[in-house]
Amino acid sequence: MASKEAKLTIKTPKGTRDWSGADLLLRDHVFETISNIFKLHGGTPLDTPVFELKEILAGKYGEDARLIYDLQDQGGELCALRYDLTVPFARWLAMNNVQQIKRYQIAKVYRRDQPAIARGRMREFYQCDFDIAGIYDSMIPDAEILRVIVEIFETLEQPITIKLNHRRILDGLFTVAGVPADKIRPISSAVDKLDKEPWEAVKKEMVEQKGLPEDVADIIGKYVLNKGTIDEMIQFIRADPKLSANDEIKAGLEDMDLLSAYSKALNTFDSISFDLSLARGLDYYTGLIFEVVQRLPTAKDGEASRYPEKSSSKSSDASAVGSIAAGGRYDNLVGMYGKKQIPCVGISFGVDRIYTILKARRGDNTGRARQIDVYIMAFGGKEFDGLLLQRMSVARQLWEAGIRAEFSAKVKPRLPQQFKAAEDVPLAVILGQDELAEGKVRLKVLGSGKDKDKDDKDQGLLVSRDDLVAEVKKLLQTNSLPIR
């Protein structure tokens, strides 16, 4: 007897999801908002393959390299799904010998991470990247990137904090603390976990897993648990004789002095927290590094202490979804693929996490999205034939005018079914045989809900077919209707 075939499980793969309806419209709103700001700053669009040669991606992501999706050999080339959009961009710059560009890209990336869909952490997700490549005077492109961040989240009406640090300052700090050169990147990766774990857990990893002496770990803790405004932290670092004597830290502080002035001119200073625990685990960063978190409602705007604040963990001011954008300066990445180095700085926005925050903020209002402005319906007596051709003609008239319209795909629809289909639509065009004979239709505002009896008795405004488009647009522009 043949064994029964296993029952097919119909589901999306772990860490992925389908998008439809209101969710997709909200995500598209995020895409449009972000891309419009990119264009304001002179961004040029770019698209690259969803998979790259494995050797292109190798050695760029530190400990996170284990999250790369490898593909089977399909014809002599070992490939992998892209992990981010930055490395493919660097490959493109080197391949095409592009010396200077402001580029943006919106595309999916893939990571074999442990997913948490409710918090916006996926295995397949969109990133929106904006990068400035080329040789410019110090910190000017970096300051513009921070301005792009602020503009985008102001447009989305989402309060944020930009946490930033400088790789040269962080590496110099590790050197002063006594970290051997070959352990700086592993220790940096451990420190980067302070947004999720308390200091004691991070210290334990440094000592027991990374082999760092406990007294060196304690010195690191004395430094990395400090954060404040750019000016506060510059003062804090310079006040420490050992830190201020280190050449790497000196170079980093020169950059931060410039950034302080530029951020004040660009009105981003108050959105920035200079956080010495921010490490960013990717190996290719060489200068300024930053990540963006939503500002919690309990945070007091404008509150600033005279001295940098201390905490045992970065989780106290991190949002439930973690960082919603991140980036930094990577001056040496392009040179790994070509003969010439091209300095770059960029930011990557995590659209799925931003979507999670916006949807939670909007609550139930996103349950049903308005996708149609006008529903075309018809009714009549015993001789009523459905007026299908006339409904089609009115729909075509509205579509040609750029108005979102719909009608029942039935020859003789019943009136209750038509009103049911038009529940979330603000306007109805109602066709009747007598009105059509005079070249007129009725235009009715639907579903105010304030007075149902009055709504039912209201037969709408009688308008000529020639004036229909103008009357519909006039009503759609009034404040009493849902915003288009």
Side-chain angles (χ1 to χ4, degrees):
M1 183 177 176
S3 61
K4 293 183 178 180
E5 292 185 6
K7 187 177 180 181
L8 177 64
T9 301
I10 302 177
K11 60 185 276 302
T12 59
K14 189 175 181 181
T16 66
R17 60 161 292 180
D18 295 317
W19 293 84
S20 65
D23 291 343
L24 193 54
L25 291 174
L26 178 56
R27 193 186 71 179
D28 287 347
H29 166 65
V30 176
F31 284 156
E32 183 179 12
T33 299
I34 292 175
S35 60
N36 283 344
I37 300 296
F38 289 167
K39 292 172 187 175
L40 280 178
H41 288 261
T44 299
L46 174 69
D47 188 28
T48 58
V50 73
F51 54 90
E52 295 274 350
L53 293 176
K54 191 175 177 180
E55 61 190 279
I56 293 291
L57 304 182
K60 312 300 185 303
Y61 302 110
E63 295 181 357
D64 285 345
R66 60 188 170 79
L67 303 179
I68 294 175
Y69 273 102
D70 291 334
L71 301 178
Q72 289 184 337
D73 184 358
Q74 295 293 332
E77 290 185 335
L78 293 177
C79 297
L81 294 179
R82 61 188 174 205
Y83 176 92
D84 64 8
L85 303 178
T86 305
V87 170
F89 173 54
R91 186 265 306 155
W92 178 82
L93 286 172
M95 204 171 99
N96 294 279
N97 195 31
V98 177
Q99 301 298 310
Q100 203 170 72
I101 190 174
K102 288 182 176 180
R103 151 304 209 153
Y104 73 90
Q105 183 172 1
I106 300 176
K108 288 181 177 180
V109 298
Y110 300 85
R111 299 181 186 178
R112 290 172 46 200
D113 205 351
Q114 189 61 33
I117 293 177
R119 297 176 61 187
R121 188 167 71 232
M122 313 284 286
R123 287 182 168 177
E124 177 193 64
F125 57 96
Y126 271 96
Q127 286 188 336
C128 299
D129 282 23
F130 182 82
D131 295 75
I132 302 175
I135 298 174
Y136 300 92
D137 287 347
S138 180
M139 302 308 289
I140 297 175
D142 310 62
E144 184 175 359
I145 293 289
L146 299 181
R147 180 62 204 172
V148 167
I149 296 170
V150 168
E151 287 177 8
I152 284 174
F153 286 108
E154 281 182 350
T155 306
L156 293 172
E157 299 180 340
Q158 175 57 52
I160 52 101
T161 296
I162 304 171
K163 298 184 175 184
L164 60 77
N165 199 357
H166 198 294
R167 259 285 168 79
R168 298 187 73 173
I169 292 175
L170 188 63
D171 289 354
L173 183 154
F174 289 146
T175 300
V176 170
V179 178
D182 62 340
K183 289 187 181 293
I184 285 181
R185 287 284 78 82
I187 295 303
S188 181
S189 295
V191 168
D192 198 47
K193 296 175 183 176
L194 278 170
D195 61 342
K196 304 179 186 71
E197 300 177 6
W199 165 248
E200 290 304 321
V202 172
K203 177 184 173 181
K204 184 177 180 181
E205 178 182 336
M206 289 181 183
V207 175
E208 297 182 5
Q209 297 181 30
K210 313 289 187 184
L212 196 69
E214 186 171 354
D215 60 330
V216 174
D218 287 335
I219 296 173
I220 292 173
K222 184 180 73 171
Y223 291 132
V224 300
L225 297 179
N226 289 279
K227 58 185 175 181
T229 68
I230 298 177
D231 292 346
E232 286 174 341
M233 291 308 299
I234 289 174
Q235 181 181 355
F236 171 77
I237 294 169
R238 285 195 168 128
D240 187 301
K242 292 182 179 178
L243 295 181
S244 59
N246 180 273
D247 289 339
E248 284 291 287
I249 293 176
K250 285 180 182 178
L253 288 176
E254 289 177 4
D255 283 347
M256 298 308 291
D257 282 329
L258 291 173
L259 186 64
S260 174
Y262 298 159
S263 64
K264 290 169 185 173
L266 292 172
N267 197 26
T268 59
F269 183 87
D270 291 336
S271 298
I272 295 169
S273 171
F274 189 170
D275 190 335
L276 288 179
S277 68
L278 182 64
R280 303 284 294 133
L282 304 182
D283 284 353
Y284 51 67
Y285 288 122
T286 57
L288 194 70
I289 51 177
F290 38 83
E291 69 179 27
V292 183
V293 297
Q294 66 167 321
R295 187 175 297 170
L296 299 180
T298 53
K300 296 179 181 178
D301 292 337
E303 185 180 70
S305 59
R306 174 65 181 82
Y307 299 100
E309 57 179 304
K310 290 193 177 185
S311 65
S312 59
S313 168
K314 291 199 291 183
S315 62
S316 60
D317 58 355
S319 68
V321 298
S323 63
I324 50 181
R329 173 160 288 280
Y330 52 103
D331 287 348
N332 301 328
L333 184 58
V334 178
M336 295 181 181
Y337 306 118
K339 296 180 181 179
K340 190 172 183 179
Q341 293 286 10
I342 302 175
C344 302
V345 62
I347 178 70
S348 179
F349 295 85
V351 173
D352 296 80
R353 294 185 175 189
I354 295 171
Y355 158 83
T356 299
I357 293 170
L358 295 183
K359 184 175 182 182
R361 192 177 74 199
R362 294 187 179 190
D364 294 335
N365 293 334
T366 55
R368 289 185 177 182
R370 174 178 155 196
Q371 300 175 47
I372 296 298
D373 293 317
V374 182
Y375 196 89
I376 303 153
M377 56 182 72
F379 67 94
K382 291 183 179 180
E383 305 300 321
F384 177 62
D385 65 359
L387 302 175
L388 176 60
L389 298 181
Q390 291 85 345
R391 285 184 285 132
M392 286 181 169
S393 176
V394 171
R396 174 192 54 77
Q397 181 184 6
L398 296 176
W399 291 335
E400 288 176 348
I403 296 169
R404 300 177 296 186
E406 199 171 49
F407 61 90
S408 172
K410 287 182 176 293
V411 174
K412 290 181 65 174
R414 300 173 71 176
L415 194 60
Q417 293 173 337
Q418 294 179 86
F419 274 108
K420 177 71 175 174
E423 274 185 355
D424 299 308
V425 181
L427 297 176
V429 173
I430 304 173
L431 310 187
Q433 195 68 54
D434 294 341
E435 290 86 349
L436 284 172
E438 299 176 3
K440 296 179 180 180
V441 296
R442 290 193 178 274
L443 180 58
K444 176 180 170 66
V445 176
L446 296 176
S448 67
K450 295 178 181 177
D451 190 337
K452 190 176 186 304
D453 291 338
K454 186 177 179 181
D455 287 344
D456 291 342
K457 293 176 182 177
D458 177 18
Q459 296 183 356
L461 176 69
L462 197 61
V463 300
S464 72
R465 282 286 304 271
D466 292 341
D467 296 333
L468 178 61
V469 168
E471 292 295 332
V472 167
K473 288 185 175 181
K474 187 188 302 181
L475 283 173
L476 288 174
Q477 290 171 357
T478 65
N479 294 328
S480 59
L481 294 179
I483 297 173
R484 184 174 182 182

